[in-house]
């Protein structure tokens, strides 16, 4: 069984959804430290001037290095939702699938969720359903008897869910492979693969192409079915940890 684990990011890019789509099960790693400038709180869309960064307004009662993602709340009364929706509407209102995509986003932004984690996960789950990605998804914070940090925590989650293969984001390779081949996962008999995704080009609402934007850019320009089809067409074979040079 292939398991993938990722932090719940804000309006993720296409590769995030490819990672979910490949896996047999997917875990939102929502009970780890919040990163001050991480993708949990920001992402990019397209504007007539180029890329536009959208950032949510969070309240952090503790220092960032003491705040977990699922404990993070939004600033009460801050109009970031309204501002983000306005930016999305203004920049994508001429996109081919605006009438199909925007009402879904509007309904998600109008919910009364006060938690960063809950909001991000709600959006990701809704977009998965919209595109027909049916991989079972769960929260790390709701799993019991999970121990360790970094790759040891990943091992614990894999064992808890009876996963014998772990599909890792490519960016996690450095710390997983730091001490030994496959890290703690490999030492515990879990076959580690590193996800690869070559971002496809498609026609955007403005001239030129900007890569690695939020997936909503593709959804507005291509629609849900064409977006997930494109994701699967550009899927690359994962890299097995045993093939890495040592």
């Amino acid at each position: 069984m292939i398991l993938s684990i990722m932090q719940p990011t804000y309006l993720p890019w296409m590769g995030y959804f490819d990672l979910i789509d490949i896996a047999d099960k997917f875990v939102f790693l929502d009970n780890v430290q919040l990163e001050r400038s991480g993708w949990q709180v920001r992402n990019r869309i397209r504007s007539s001037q180029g890329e536009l960064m959208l950032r949510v307004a969070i309240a952090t009662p503790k220092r960032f290095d003491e705040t977990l993602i699922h404990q993070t709340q939004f600033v009460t009364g801050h109009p970031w939702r309204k501002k983000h929706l306005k930016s999305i509407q203004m920049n994508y209102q001429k996109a081919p699938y605006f009438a199909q995509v925007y009402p879904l986003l509007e309904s998600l932004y109008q919910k009364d969720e006060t938690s960063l984690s809950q909001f991000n996960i709600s959006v990701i789950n809704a977009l998965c359903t919209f595109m027909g990605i049916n991989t079972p998804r769960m929260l790390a914070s709701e799993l019991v008897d999970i121990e360790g940090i970094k790759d040891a925590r990943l091992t614990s989650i894999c064992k808890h869910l009876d996963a014998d293969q772990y599909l890792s984001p490519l960016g996690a390779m450095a710390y997983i492979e730091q001490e030994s081949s496959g890290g703690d996962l490999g030492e515990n008999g879990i076959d580690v693969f590193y996800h690869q995704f070559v971002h496809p080009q498609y026609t955007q609402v403005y001239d030129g192409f900007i890569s690695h934007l939020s997936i909503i850019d593709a959804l507005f320009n291509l629609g849900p079915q064409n977006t997930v089809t494109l994701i699967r067409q550009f899927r690359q074979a994962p890299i097995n940890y045993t093939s890495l040079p040592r």
Side-chain angles (χ1 to χ4, degrees), residues 51-69:
E51 66 178 55
L52 175 65
M53 184 71 74
L54 302 180
R55 183 186 295 272
V56 305
I58 55 170
T60 51
K62 300 179 180 180
R63 298 187 311 172
F64 270 88
D65 59 359
E66 297 177 350
T67 303
L68 303 184
I69 297 171

Side-chain angles (χ1 to χ4, degrees), residues 26-236:
F26 180 86
V27 173
F28 291 106
L29 191 62
D30 61 337
N31 54 356
V32 295
Q33 179 184 324
L34 177 70
E35 299 174 21
R36 181 183 297 273
S37 297
W39 295 109
Q40 304 98 335
V41 298
R42 63 191 179 106
N43 221 315
R44 305 177 304 149
I45 63 171
R46 185 72 197 268
S47 76
S48 60
Q49 305 301 312
E51 66 178 55
L52 175 65
M53 184 71 74
L54 302 180
R55 183 186 295 272
V56 305
I58 55 170
T60 51
K62 300 179 180 180
R63 298 187 311 172
F64 270 88
D65 59 359
E66 297 177 350
T67 303
L68 303 184
I69 297 171
H70 75 294
Q71 297 171 338
T72 304
Q73 302 293 308
F74 296 126
V75 176
T76 303
H78 194 285
W80 69 266
R81 288 181 177 87
K82 184 177 180 179
K83 291 180 177 179
H84 287 199
L85 272 178
K86 184 177 180 180
S87 293
I88 292 169
Q89 181 181 32
M90 288 179 59
N91 289 293
Y92 290 107
Q93 57 189 344
K94 295 183 180 179
Y97 290 87
F98 178 82
Q100 188 174 353
V101 178
Y102 184 77
L104 171 62
L105 293 176
E106 186 177 38
S107 67
L108 292 167
Y109 277 80
Q110 288 176 345
K111 290 183 177 180
D112 294 329
E113 288 164 335
T114 60
S115 163
L116 170 68
S117 177
Q118 289 177 359
F119 180 82
N120 287 350
I121 291 169
S122 292
V123 171
I124 293 166
N125 284 337
L127 295 181
C128 281
T129 300
F130 192 50
M131 291 184 287
I133 296 175
N134 300 313
T135 303
R137 301 174 293 276
M138 60 205 73
L139 310 185
S141 60
E142 294 181 353
L143 302 178
V144 297
D145 299 325
I146 303 301
E147 301 175 343
I149 60 173
K150 294 189 176 182
D151 51 338
R153 179 186 290 255
L154 303 179
T155 299
S156 184
I157 295 174
C158 285
K159 288 183 175 180
H160 182 81
L161 296 174
D162 297 321
D164 57 359
Q165 297 181 51
Y166 177 63
L167 179 62
S168 171
L170 194 61
M173 181 189 294
Y175 79 75
I176 290 178
E177 300 291 329
Q178 186 174 11
E179 299 294 335
S180 61
S181 180
D184 190 80
L185 292 151
E187 291 175 0
N188 281 273
I190 298 166
D191 208 6
V192 182
F193 293 85
Y194 293 101
H195 178 239
Q196 293 193 100
F197 184 75
V198 176
H199 200 294
Q201 289 197 25
Y202 51 86
T203 302
Q204 294 177 328
V205 70
Y206 303 108
D207 291 339
F209 179 75
I210 298 178
S211 185
H212 289 72
L213 300 176
S214 165
I215 196 172
I216 69 171
D217 183 82
L219 290 171
F220 277 119
N221 287 291
L222 303 174
Q225 188 56 58
N226 290 333
T227 296
V228 76
T229 297
L230 194 62
I231 287 172
R232 291 166 179 168
Q233 286 176 346
F234 278 77
R235 179 171 296 161
Q236 305 293 302

